[in-house]
Structures are given as structure tokens and as C-alpha cells.
Amino acid sequence: MTSLSTLSTTAPLWVAARPQTFLHLAVRTYSGVAVTTFNTSSLARNRSSPFTYTSKRFISSTPRSQIKEYFPPPTTPGVKEVTSAWVHPVYTESQMESVKIAHREATNWSDWIALGTVRVFRWGMDFATGYKHPEPGQETSEKFKMTGKKWLARFIFLESVAGVPGMVGGMLRHLRSLRRMKRDNGWIETLLEEAFNERMHLLTLLKLAEPGWFMRLMVLGAQGVFFNGFFLAYLVSPRICHRFVGYLEEEAVLTYTRAIKDLENGQLPEWNELKAPAIAVQYWQMPENQRTMRDLLLYIRADEAKHREVNHTLGNLNQEVDPNPYQTQYRDPSKSHPSKGIENLKQTGWERKDIF
């Protein structure tokens, strides 16, 4: 709390006169609200406000919040809630714990193009978010030691870009279907749902941290360049683009796995008591006993692992004629097939011969 003697003349003050002879001064700080009460017959006494204002702006560089609420609920008269067309599948704890780091080996020139591009992007993101993973057997230097703030900055930057590929791919396939007057065979739905899922990751993380102007500028630049580049690349080779996203999601799984390990090793004490926001609880249908920060990271990592599988699988298919295996009903339901959940997750994607 801030005492009267330490109040600066530049601090924001609200003065409210009340009946009798009392005067209340309230000082808003980043840690709370200090209220000092005066009367004419006694000395000043301090008391705590019944409410507190806790700043969530871990990575903000602005003096105070410019946006009160990201994507606030609707205020239209008569509207209670806006529901989503996509209901997220329910994950069990054992399914999420079984997600592993995996890598699909590049076998041809198109795979190498996709993998090389992802490695360049990874280097750029590491540089932008101040991340450097130590070599095996080495400790992280103090300069590159990850904190909760740094992890959230990295997550927000990653998720703000990760929502682009699905939207671009779904949009182009939608226009292609209209232009050629042919069915799309279910690809559009899965690609748009992927973009929606990545956006939900971003909205959830924005409940935990608010980006400052520098982060917003990086997101704007990255999204502008990435959208147009991916748009042109998808026109040339959708297969390379899906392989690229598959490799990109491999990196996302790696990132969230390392963050979970840091949390489990006690390196992120600020996350020990952090709870999943209400938007996450509702979207993932999180059980009451699975709403910690670790649980939230497990849910997001499971989604990224699913995107990894989906895009590697789509990259294995004939882009022109094959139906989307994630929107298909099969003649033999007893045989294992791709699904929307992670109950039969294949870390490096389904091969075409195993589906059709």
C-alpha cells in the first residue's frame, strides 16, 4: 500500500467529499487501491479497500491498460450468450499426459522446404521473444532464463500467428469450391475449426497477460507478412503448406512441453496458484479439479498435438480428390481411423494407405 507521505504529485487521485466531516483519498496503484480517511478531529488513518485491482499486464509497456476487456461478452438487449458452432472434444487427463514430442522425418524436397522454413521462423521467434533453450546437460544462463512473463509473451506471439494457416487454407478451398462448382469433401470445416481453436488459445492467454505496444507491433508485422506469404504458398502447393504447419505444430508441442517441465520443476512459482480463466473452463469443459495453470497448458498442448497430426495427415493425401478423413464416416467403424479427439492420436500423422 502507498502511504500519505509517499504520495507523488503525479499520482492519480480521486477526492470524494462525504457527509459529516470525512474526506477520503483513493490512490490507484499497480498492486491495489490505497484509501486514506481524514476527519477534523483526529489524525489520518489508513484502511484497506474491500476490493483490489491486480495488474495482469506482465508484458505491457504501456503506463496503464488501454483495453478493459478483450472480446467482451455481448451487450445487445435480450442476448444472453453467443454459442459456438464448434464444440471442443473432451480430453481425459491420461490422454493429455500421453502427448509426446515427435518429429516427422523429411523424405523429399517438399518436406525439406517446409522444414527449413519452419526452422527459420523458429529462429526469428526465439530472437523476438528472448528465448534460448540450453544444450543437453547445460543450465540455462541467467540472460535466457524463462519466467512466467517471458513464457506468456512467447505463447501470445505464437498463437497470434498460428491462427492464420487454417483460415487461409479454408478460405482458399472455399473459393476453389465455388469457382470450380465442386464439393470440397470436408476440408473447409476442419481448417476453419483449427483457426478457431488457435484463436481460443489466444483469447485464453490474453486473460493472463496484456501485450504492450511493442508486442502488438510485432504481431501486426508478423501476421501481415505471414498471411500474404502463406496465401501465395497455398496457391502454389497446398501439400507443402500442410507439411509446414505440421512441422510448426511440432515446435508448438515442444514449447508447451518445456513450459510444463519448468512449472513442474518449481521454476515458475508465480504460476503455482494461477487458475485457468473462465473462458478456458467453458471451452475445454475442464473438470473442477483440473483448472490449474498446468492443466491449462496440457489442454493447449493437446490441441497443438492434434493440429500436428491433422496437418501431417492432410499433407500425405491427394489434395485434389481425397476426402478429409476427419469429417468422414467409414464403412468399417471397428478399424482405427482419424478422429476429432486424441484417443487414437498419431504423433506424426496418418499415412494415406492406413486411411483409405
Side-chain angles (χ1 to χ4, degrees), residues 11-30:
L13 300 179
W14 291 272
V15 182
R18 304 183 69 181
Q20 293 91 32
T21 57
F22 291 91
L23 182 66
H24 291 259
L25 298 182
V27 182
R28 183 179 180 179
T29 70
Y30 286 131

Side-chain angles (χ1 to χ4, degrees), residues 204 207-208 273-282 284 286 290-297 299:
T204 298
K207 292 290 185 179
L208 304 175
E273 302 300 323
L274 200 58
K275 298 296 182 182
I279 188 174
V281 173
Q282 181 180 9
W284 279 288
M286 301 170 73
Q290 289 180 231
R291 298 179 181 178
T292 65
M293 187 62 182
R294 180 181 181 275
D295 293 319
L296 176 61
L297 295 179
Y299 276 98

Side-chain angles (χ1 to χ4, degrees), residues 33-293:
V33 177
V35 180
T36 303
T37 305
F38 299 90
N39 63 38
T40 56
S41 61
S42 64
L43 297 177
R45 67 180 186 274
N46 290 332
R47 64 178 175 86
S48 298
S49 171
F51 60 91
T52 58
Y53 173 82
T54 302
S55 174
K56 61 184 178 67
R57 297 179 294 108
F58 298 120
I59 57 175
S60 176
S61 59
T62 54
R64 62 177 177 174
S65 177
Q66 302 298 316
I67 299 178
K68 293 182 179 179
E69 177 69 40
Y70 287 100
F71 299 89
T75 56
T76 306
V79 175
K80 178 181 178 181
E81 185 180 2
V82 178
T83 60
S84 169
W86 289 298
V87 178
H88 195 281
V90 177
Y91 298 157
T92 66
E93 187 174 4
S94 60
Q95 289 174 347
M96 294 188 293
E97 293 283 2
S98 67
V99 172
K100 305 297 181 184
I101 296 172
H103 173 63
R104 182 185 178 91
E105 295 297 332
T107 58
N108 51 49
W109 66 269
S110 59
D111 289 355
W112 281 111
I113 290 175
L115 181 58
T117 307
V118 168
R119 286 175 174 171
V120 172
F121 276 39
R122 172 64 187 262
W123 175 87
M125 193 172 80
D126 287 351
F127 178 79
T129 58
Y131 177 83
K132 185 177 181 181
H133 193 71
E135 297 296 329
Q138 296 182 357
E139 293 290 333
T140 306
S141 64
E142 195 64 30
K143 178 180 179 181
F144 295 105
K145 187 177 180 180
M146 294 299 287
T147 63
K149 300 184 207 178
K150 289 184 178 180
W151 276 123
L152 286 172
R154 185 175 179 81
F155 295 160
I156 288 176
F157 186 73
L158 173 68
E159 300 297 348
S160 66
V161 176
V164 172
M167 178 58 66
V168 172
M171 176 187 69
L172 288 177
R173 291 195 69 98
H174 172 73
L175 295 176
R176 177 175 174 270
S177 178
L178 297 178
R179 185 171 63 251
R180 301 182 65 181
M181 300 182 185
K182 291 185 177 181
R183 294 184 56 160
D184 178 71
N185 289 323
W187 287 57
I188 296 172
E189 289 92 332
T190 293
L191 294 175
L192 294 182
E193 186 175 6
E194 177 183 308
F196 175 81
N197 177 257
E198 297 287 10
R199 189 181 69 95
M200 290 303 296
H201 292 177
L202 178 62
L203 298 190
T204 298
L205 294 168
L206 288 175
K207 292 290 185 179
L208 304 175
E210 179 181 335
W213 66 267
F214 180 69
M215 175 62 74
R216 294 170 188 267
L217 188 63
M218 285 201 304
V219 169
L220 180 64
Q223 190 177 92
V225 173
F226 187 47
F227 179 93
N228 290 285
F230 197 84
F231 177 89
L232 296 175
Y234 206 91
L235 291 174
V236 174
S237 177
R239 182 184 179 279
I240 293 179
C241 288
H242 285 299
R243 186 71 72 216
F244 165 84
V245 177
Y247 285 132
L248 193 67
E249 298 296 356
E250 289 181 4
E251 297 295 335
V253 172
L254 180 63
T255 293
Y256 284 107
T257 299
R258 287 172 174 170
I260 292 170
K261 287 183 177 179
D262 281 359
L263 179 57
E264 292 174 340
N265 293 335
Q267 299 175 17
L268 303 170
E270 63 268 42
W271 285 0
N272 289 338
E273 302 300 323
L274 200 58
K275 298 296 182 182
I279 188 174
V281 173
Q282 181 180 9
Y283 178 64
W284 279 288
Q285 305 174 61
M286 301 170 73
E288 192 169 351
N289 61 338
Q290 289 180 231
R291 298 179 181 178
T292 65
M293 187 62 182

